Amino acid sequence: MLRRQTRLRREFIYRKSIEDRERTIRDKKQKLKSAVDNNKMIDGTLRKQAIELDNATAWDDEGGEGTTSTQDDEYRWAGVSDPKLVLTTARDPSVRLKQFAKEMRLIFPNCKRINRGNYDLKQLIHACRANEVSDLVILSEHRGVPDGIIISHLPYGPTAYFTLLHTVMRHDVPEAQNSKVSEAFPHLIFQNLTSNLGKRVTNILKYLFPVPKSDSRRIITFYNNDDTISFRHHTYKKEGPSNELTEVGPRFEMKLFKIIQGTLENADSADVEWAHRPFMRTARKRKFLSEEDD
């Protein structure tokens, strides 16, 4: 079984690498074609390959514009079958983390919370695969304060690591103390997640939830501001001519730390798709600070 899973994962990663290479070549062809059609200077990175790319473009069929994948991706069943989640915590969770896990279980429809106990990651992943679980969610803490969430998509990944900031439990939200948590499938709002990385994060988060019905009165919002995603959970009801919006909690901020192309049991050997390196991505911030000083 383990050899079969390893083989299937390698085949999947190989197909994805072929797709990435073809996507890169297609993007170069589009840039070259755009420069020629608009009578503009060819980009310096394409000049050495311009003749080769132009010859290859002549054999391309029309009608395939916008195609991004020739192989099924990780979320090929999204919208066809509802996601099936398992939520657990790090080992030896505090009372506060256990309470936070109970609240998070109510956030995700079709989610089952299990006690971590002495199970290691390999056992958890194996059990999830055997029961056709789509995503494994693990919560962590630091001195009783929830500070991390890991979302591992099964069977092959990706796995996203988020840091949690400013976590407010549901019973600490004034509006939520006298309200019940709706079990309806929520409508999702994603704001300011338009970059390629933002779209990747949107897919990872979006497909944790099933498709809602049109009359659902539950809303979950992911709002990105300066690479920090604010999570908010609301319900609304009709009050005369207007709608009354009520926050039911919990609330927290999420900061993406890393995305790997694999699941948790092979995190050490899996390729890193993206990692947060704050000391290598400071050009925009330095420019903003210099403008403020002026």
Side-chain angles (χ1 to χ4, degrees):
M1 179 62 70
L2 293 178
R3 290 182 178 178
R4 180 174 179 273
Q5 289 292 342
T6 302
R7 176 176 57 80
L8 292 176
R9 176 178 170 272
R10 287 176 177 174
E11 291 177 355
F12 177 78
I13 292 176
Y14 174 73
R15 291 197 302 269
K16 296 297 290 183
S17 66
I18 296 297
E19 290 176 14
D20 292 339
R21 186 174 62 187
E22 292 178 349
R23 186 181 299 110
T24 301
I25 295 175
R26 184 171 60 251
D27 291 342
K28 290 181 178 179
K29 288 180 180 179
Q30 291 177 352
K31 289 181 180 179
L32 178 63
K33 186 176 184 300
S34 176
V36 173
D37 293 343
N38 297 317
N39 196 23
K40 293 183 178 180
M41 184 74 70
I42 298 176
D43 189 272
T45 58
L46 301 178
R47 292 175 186 174
K48 292 183 178 180
Q49 301 175 289
I51 297 177
E52 181 181 350
L53 291 172
D54 185 61
N55 292 334
T57 303
W59 296 94
D60 290 344
D61 295 330
E62 295 184 359
E65 295 81 1
T67 303
T68 58
S69 176
T70 57
Q71 301 287 341
D72 287 340
D73 65 6
E74 302 97 324
Y75 300 101
R76 59 187 178 276
W77 298 116
V80 177
S81 59
D82 292 342
K84 184 179 179 181
L85 276 64
V86 166
L87 186 144
T88 188
T89 63
R91 287 178 176 170
D92 299 324
S94 65
V95 175
R96 187 171 176 81
L97 185 62
K98 290 180 180 179
Q99 180 63 32
F100 184 62
K102 291 180 181 179
E103 296 180 2
M104 290 298 292
R105 187 196 69 78
L106 298 175
I107 294 294
F108 303 111
N110 200 21
C111 177
K112 182 177 181 180
R113 183 179 64 88
I114 63 174
N115 295 325
R116 177 64 181 271
N118 294 322
Y119 296 113
D120 60 22
L121 291 177
K122 290 184 178 180
Q123 290 175 318
L124 285 174
I125 295 294
H126 179 72
C128 289
R129 284 201 180 105
N131 289 276
E132 298 183 349
V133 172
S134 63
D135 294 270
L136 174 64
V137 181
I138 299 179
L139 303 174
S140 59
E141 65 181 339
H142 178 69
R143 295 184 178 180
V145 179
D147 73 336
I149 181 171
I150 302 173
I151 302 172
S152 185
H153 185 68
L154 300 176
Y156 306 122
T159 298
Y161 298 76
F162 294 92
T163 300
L164 298 184
L165 307 167
H166 313 304
T167 302
V168 178
M169 308 288 280
R170 183 175 180 273
H171 59 268
D172 294 329
V173 178
E175 299 180 21
Q177 294 179 0
N178 298 323
S179 62
K180 295 182 180 180
V181 178
S182 172
E183 295 184 3
F185 296 168
H187 294 286
L188 304 179
I189 298 175
F190 291 91
Q191 187 71 24
N192 292 343
L193 290 164
T194 56
S195 64
N196 290 334
L197 178 61
K199 293 177 182 177
R200 179 62 157 166
V201 173
T202 298
N203 286 339
I204 293 173
L205 297 174
K206 177 172 63 176
Y207 294 127
L208 297 175
F209 301 88
V211 178
K213 295 182 178 179
S214 59
D215 58 351
S216 175
R217 298 185 179 274
R218 187 180 175 203
I219 303 172
I220 290 180
T221 305
F222 297 92
Y223 175 76
N224 177 44
N225 182 23
D226 196 19
D227 300 333
T228 300
I229 302 173
S230 298
F231 173 90
R232 298 294 184 269
H233 181 202
H234 294 84
T235 58
Y236 71 94
K237 61 181 179 180
K238 278 283 188 180
E239 288 292 340
S242 61
N243 295 327
E244 180 183 352
L245 197 65
T246 304
E247 184 177 2
V248 293
R251 71 168 74 141
F252 50 82
E253 319 297 326
M254 305 170 62
K255 197 171 183 66
L256 181 63
F257 175 71
K258 183 171 62 174
I259 300 177
I260 63 172
Q261 295 180 345
T263 50
L264 283 172
E265 85 275 18
N266 50 45
D268 295 335
S269 59
D271 294 334
V272 177
E273 181 176 330
W274 185 89
H276 177 57
R277 297 182 177 88
F279 299 105
M280 296 180 64
R281 296 184 173 94
T282 59
R284 180 169 59 87
K285 294 181 179 180
R286 289 200 305 269
K287 181 179 179 182
F288 176 75
L289 291 174
S290 62
E291 292 176 352
E292 281 191 340
D293 293 338
D294 296 340

